[in-house]
Amino acid sequence: MQDSSPEQRPGRVGVLLPLPLAGAYDYAVPPELAITLGDYVEVPLGPRLVTGVVWSAGSGEVAASRLKPVARRFPLPAMPEVGRRFIDWVAAYTLSLPGQALRMALSAQDALEPLKPVVGYRRAETPAAEVRETPARRRVLTLLADGPPRVLAELAHEAGCGAAVIRGLVDAGALETVLLPAEAPVARPDWQCPGPALSPAQAEAAETLREKLAAGGYSATLLDGVTGAGKTEVYFEAIAAALAAGRQVLVLLPEIALSSQWLDRFAARFGVRPAEWHSDLTQTRRRRTWRAVATGEATVVVGARSALFLPYAALGLIVVDEEHESAFKQEDGVTYHARDMAVARAFLGGFPIVLVSATPSLETLVNVESGRYGRIDLPARHGGAALPEISLIDLREDRPERRRWLSPTLTAALVETLAAGEQAMLFLNRRGYAPLTLCRGCGHRLHCPNCSAWLVEHRLAGRLQCHHCGHATALPETCPGCGKAGLMAGCGPGVERIAEEAVARFPEARIAIMASDTLIGPLAMAELVRKVAAHELDLLIGTQVMAKGHHFPMLTLVGVVDADLGLAGGDLRAAERTYQLLHQVAGRAGRAERPGRVFLQSYMPEHPVMQALASGDRDRFLAQEAEERRALALPPFGRLVALVVSGADPEAVDKVAQALGRAAPRSADIDVLGPAPAPLALLRGRHRRRLLLRAPRSCAVQPIVRTWLAAVTVPNSVRVQIDVDPYSFL
Ligand code: ADP
Ligand code: ZN
């Protein structure tokens, strides 16, 4: 549909600003400005100019004579209506202000301003008859003889001369200047590139997705299949079909900065890399990509959750890969789950969304069961590669030596694998050397001063660190508790300590650690991934950054050092998440012709999660898990909203928390737990209390929470953070 000019109130518009304001503000439209809904404009706000988006025809509350005028309109396609509706929807759902949601859509500074064309140099069309030649001049002229025009700095660099040489050639009439577009064109993925020959199951799955695209309209489909089943190739076909239809495509990946292999595969399939969107981009790339998405030049965007809020001109397909990943949950600012918001975006836009996983979330499976989502199964591994055999190691019997963490069985398997010239991986989802340091004399534990958390020793970096606030300090020589020297000792292992054990046991092996703090940035990650793939390493020891989609043909053994780690704590999804993570880790083993083996070290091998992993009976485990949640009316069978009250002054925080507790909505099917101290009762120096509202799934919780909050006055020193559908309970 075409956006119409806001005609109901001539001469005025409502402009939404990316600020925590309750709604759009009215502005006057100067007669010389042609303005439509969705236009990006600059308006005065107090003494400054602020960029916003024309959101409405204006409320009419302020008299026309008192309105300030819109200062200017940016020369850009207007934000489409669906984009604006999406922002309003996200704000309403997450109980945020629309301006806070808009802020996520205006995340590239100065992207609204077109860059000025730059001056380029080329050979004069009618060169001057006589030009004095020097070696430097000759190099410049030769370079330009068969190359495109270049900007001054580039030309001087390539020709190895100074700028004066080039200016001299212009003066002499041998070169002339041209205006070049400031921005290089965005490369377009070519959907006509041939893909691989698909297996019959893949071909059928791809056909189903193509039919959904061709049919038009919203649909949500789960693409379910074990790691290596060939799901990526299948959704590449859907991407090709969407591109053929002239639509834009968004692929959400949980950790795009770490997904170099995925980008390479995309390039192999479509000729070029897609546009990327994540926090690691330079400012120049951000603004370029933002604009290219707005103009429709960028046809495929792959990104982290924030890519949802780009100003797509013609979005027509979303793929959420690893849809079960908790990394899709944004925990700061506007708290939202990118998978759920992506479904809403597809619904509003009237186009298909594909959710992809080997271990789908219970949320998604319940939607499949109720018929709201479709489902496509890819049953086998592509090319018949066998799934790894998963064995449990009972640590109560198969005991590691004192101050060691690898059991005899796992150690023996490592010996075999390395002797066979194959690769192995040890997984422990804990960074650093030791998660707790205590005094062997008095038992004093080293705490973070700002958080209720222990300090984690990072031996490689030579310090203790808080994983919540980043506080870092040197390991004390003497115990801060009893003052005795030489008694501080690390308890329990992190990956660095496992690496120490591995080096001691396998001195010949080439060993590397893969954890977010040992890899600085995506390049280091890509380099390490390359080394493993090229078999320049024998043993990889890592945290969950290693669990993601990498494909290592020679990797045949995976050992999980502490499979129980994720099960502790009060998270309602602990079992589900542990299953998902360990399943994914296990999937790294034996992805090529060589069969893989996986060992899970556990103190509770009888736990349903361990049993499900060992037997491979995912669906039975999930059915049990679903029954438990249904019985307790927990998600996805009920709804939760968490309120976290925080502030520097514990009394002020308690006062607000108690007032919220007294004002809490209670009815036959709504209850509120708390207030109670949060597990992280102190975080970055702020005291925290939690309340948790539980309601039936059919209940619209937002108006209830809004009324609840309106009943309590909150001083400026205290913050109440609202988390609809919480995933973190810390
Ligand atoms: P998933 O996404 O389900 O984990 P992938 O799509 O990554 O699976 O496929 C696993 C491996 O099999 C990859 O190396 C991929 O290149 C290969 N593969 C998948 N489908 C085909 C195909 N039809 N032809 C050739 N290779 C394929
Ligand atoms: Zn801290």
Side-chain angles (χ1 to χ4, degrees):
M1 73 162 267
Q2 210 42 58
D3 283 340
S4 55
S5 317
E7 277 156 349
Q8 305 93 303
R9 300 181 202 283
R12 105 165 44 211
V13 285
V15 175
L16 188 64
L17 302 175
L19 299 168
L21 304 169
Y25 282 5
D26 281 13
Y27 285 91
V29 180
E32 70 277 11
L33 278 188
I35 282 191
T36 58
L37 288 171
D39 272 342
Y40 300 91
V41 292
E42 202 166 55
V43 294
L45 182 74
R48 43 185 195 136
L49 285 172
V50 180
T51 300
V53 178
V54 177
W55 217 249
S56 68
S59 67
E61 277 160 21
V62 180
S65 58
R66 291 183 45 217
L67 288 183
K68 291 189 180 163
V70 172
R72 66 174 173 143
R73 170 188 173 276
F74 291 95
L76 258 183
M79 183 187 285
E81 198 216 345
V82 59
R84 286 178 275 130
R85 274 168 55 211
F86 178 56
I87 285 168
D88 279 335
W89 189 91
V90 170
Y93 188 86
T94 59
L95 289 161
S96 317
L97 296 166
Q100 292 173 312
L102 177 65
R103 207 187 145 101
M104 301 194 288
L106 295 178
S107 55
Q109 275 165 33
D110 31 278
L112 302 175
E113 209 78 71
L115 285 184
K116 297 212 171 55
V118 294
V119 177
Y121 293 81
R122 68 176 178 205
R123 284 177 79 136
E125 296 218 333
T126 45
E130 286 282 308
V131 177
R132 188 177 52 86
E133 293 233 343
T134 65
R137 284 183 161 194
R138 247 193 314 275
R139 286 200 301 275
V140 172
L141 292 171
T142 318
L143 254 177
L144 288 175
D146 47 20
R150 308 228 211 331
V151 299
L152 188 66
E154 195 184 336
L155 186 55
H157 175 75
E158 283 183 51
C161 68
V165 174
I166 295 161
R167 294 211 182 88
L169 281 167
V170 175
D171 292 342
L175 295 185
E176 62 189 20
T177 57
V178 277
L179 285 184
L180 303 175
E183 301 175 304
V186 171
R188 293 201 162 216
D190 180 1
W191 53 269
Q192 283 169 313
C193 285
L198 298 180
S199 71
Q202 282 178 314
E204 201 186 313
E207 187 52 30
T208 308
L209 293 179
R210 271 195 298 265
E211 280 164 11
K212 288 186 193 274
L213 275 162
Y218 162 78
S219 62
T221 309
L222 168 64
L223 181 54
D224 183 359
V226 294
T227 314
K231 303 185 291 298
T232 310
E233 296 300 338
V234 168
Y235 75 68
F236 278 178
E237 295 301 305
I239 293 174
L243 293 178
R247 309 304 299 270
Q248 286 173 305
V249 178
L250 165 63
V251 180
L252 289 175
L253 297 182
E255 281 175 57
I256 172 67
L258 303 178
S259 305
S260 58
Q261 275 194 338
W262 189 95
L263 293 168
D264 291 343
R265 270 182 78 178
F266 185 93
R269 174 70 176 76
F270 294 104
V272 295
R273 285 188 163 206
E276 287 173 52
W277 188 262
H278 50 81
S279 53
D280 251 6
L281 298 177
T282 62
Q283 189 58 32
T284 317
R285 280 291 290 283
R286 285 180 88 75
R287 80 177 290 294
R288 181 75 195 101
T289 301
W290 194 96
R291 289 181 70 82
V293 172
T295 58
E297 250 181 295
T299 52
V300 179
V301 178
V302 58
R305 54 201 179 214
S306 56
L308 261 179
F309 295 94
L310 288 171
Y312 298 93
L315 190 57
L317 173 69
I318 301 181
V319 176
V320 185
D321 203 348
E322 312 285 5
E323 67 87 25
H324 60 276
E325 274 288 335
S326 47
F328 282 126
K329 182 71 197 268
Q330 163 85 34
E331 301 283 0
D332 310 317
V334 178
T335 52
Y336 65 91
H337 198 298
R339 175 201 59 221
D340 299 346
M341 298 304 111
V343 171
R345 179 68 179 80
F347 180 78
L348 291 174
F351 57 76
I353 179 167
V354 185
L355 308 177
V356 184
S357 179
T359 52
S361 62
L362 215 48
E363 274 73 11
T364 295
L365 286 173
V366 165
N367 280 321
V368 168
E369 260 160 44
S370 70
R372 295 167 61 153
Y373 295 178
R375 173 188 200 144
I376 300 175
D377 279 311
L378 277 186
R381 274 195 159 183
H382 179 80
L387 280 171
E389 186 198 326
I390 300 183
S391 316
L392 300 173
I393 291 177
D394 187 341
L395 287 175
R396 292 166 302 192
E397 278 153 25
D398 204 342
R399 287 176 184 236
E401 290 162 28
R402 234 186 124 249
R403 296 188 149 257
R404 290 277 185 264
W405 286 272
L406 304 178
S407 63
T409 304
L410 181 52
T411 310
L414 284 165
V415 170
E416 276 168 33
T417 303
L418 296 177
E422 295 172 353
Q423 289 170 306
M425 188 164 109
L426 290 172
F427 175 81
L428 177 63
N429 204 11
R430 206 189 255 147
R431 291 184 285 131
Y433 183 82
L436 164 66
T437 302
L438 57 69
C439 170
R440 276 177 282 139
C442 73
H444 180 87
R445 298 166 174 214
L446 296 181
H447 264 280
C448 174
N450 316 316
C451 307
S452 13
W454 295 330
L455 290 173
V456 179
E457 181 183 355
H458 285 251
R459 196 160 280 190
L460 295 176
R463 61 184 182 201
L464 295 162
Q465 208 177 306
C466 171
H467 284 184
H468 296 285
C469 71
H471 172 85
T473 170
L475 185 66
E477 297 270 310
T478 56
C479 172
C482 64
K484 295 213 182 88
L487 290 178
M488 301 311 290
C491 281
V495 279
E496 291 179 8
R497 201 166 200 177
I498 299 302
E500 183 182 82
E501 180 173 348
V503 168
R505 282 196 201 268
F506 310 109
E508 311 285 281
R510 296 163 298 176
I511 298 177
I513 296 180
M514 196 177 208
S516 57
D517 60 328
T518 57
L519 298 165
I520 309 304
L523 286 180
M525 180 71 166
E527 171 58 11
L528 191 51
V529 166
R530 187 199 62 75
K531 276 188 168 168
V532 183
H535 206 161
E536 289 167 26
L537 289 170
D538 303 307
L539 176 57
L540 197 57
I541 298 168
T543 62
Q544 63 178 347
V545 294
M546 189 171 72
K548 300 272 148 56
H550 308 293
H551 180 57
F552 301 130
M554 288 301 285
L555 187 84
T556 57
L557 175 68
V558 169
V560 175
V561 176
D562 182 355
D564 309 332
L565 193 58
L567 292 172
D571 187 330
L572 73 99
R573 294 183 182 85
E576 183 189 354
R577 277 189 188 160
T578 302
Y579 179 85
Q580 288 161 343
L581 179 60
L582 296 186
H583 179 92
Q584 194 162 35
V585 172
R588 300 305 112 209
R591 294 200 72 188
E593 312 74 48
R594 293 159 192 268
R597 285 192 294 170
V598 178
F599 290 94
L600 307 180
Q601 299 196 139
S602 169
Y603 281 101
M604 38 184 174
E606 64 288 341
H607 192 286
V609 169
M610 303 307 149
Q611 290 296 320
L613 287 162
S615 68
D617 197 347
R618 176 192 95 183
D619 293 339
R620 196 170 129 236
F621 163 70
L622 287 172
Q624 280 174 7
E625 184 69 16
E627 267 334 292
E628 276 178 35
R629 300 243 200 116
R630 195 193 304 272
L632 299 170
L634 287 173
F637 303 99
R639 285 183 185 282
L640 298 178
V641 180
L643 267 56
V644 176
V645 186
S646 68
D649 172 13
E651 271 167 40
V653 172
D654 273 329
K655 224 168 129 190
V656 173
Q658 280 154 16
L660 281 168
R662 284 191 299 272
R666 286 196 173 81
S667 71
D669 44 41
I670 294 178
D671 56 356
V672 172
L673 306 172
L680 268 171
L682 185 66
L683 178 64
R684 296 188 187 93
R686 296 174 72 88
H687 297 269
R688 303 166 79 243
R689 308 285 179 265
R690 297 188 66 104
L691 296 104
L692 189 66
L693 177 140
R694 184 174 57 168
R697 191 185 153 97
S698 58
C699 172
V701 287
Q702 287 81 1
I704 297 172
V705 175
R706 232 179 259 121
T707 312
W708 178 17
L709 291 171
V712 175
T713 24
V714 180
N716 278 338
S717 63
V718 174
R719 207 170 102 206
V720 180
Q721 203 183 337
I722 305 160
D723 189 355
V724 179
D725 307 332
Y727 277 69
S728 163
F729 297 88
L730 290 179

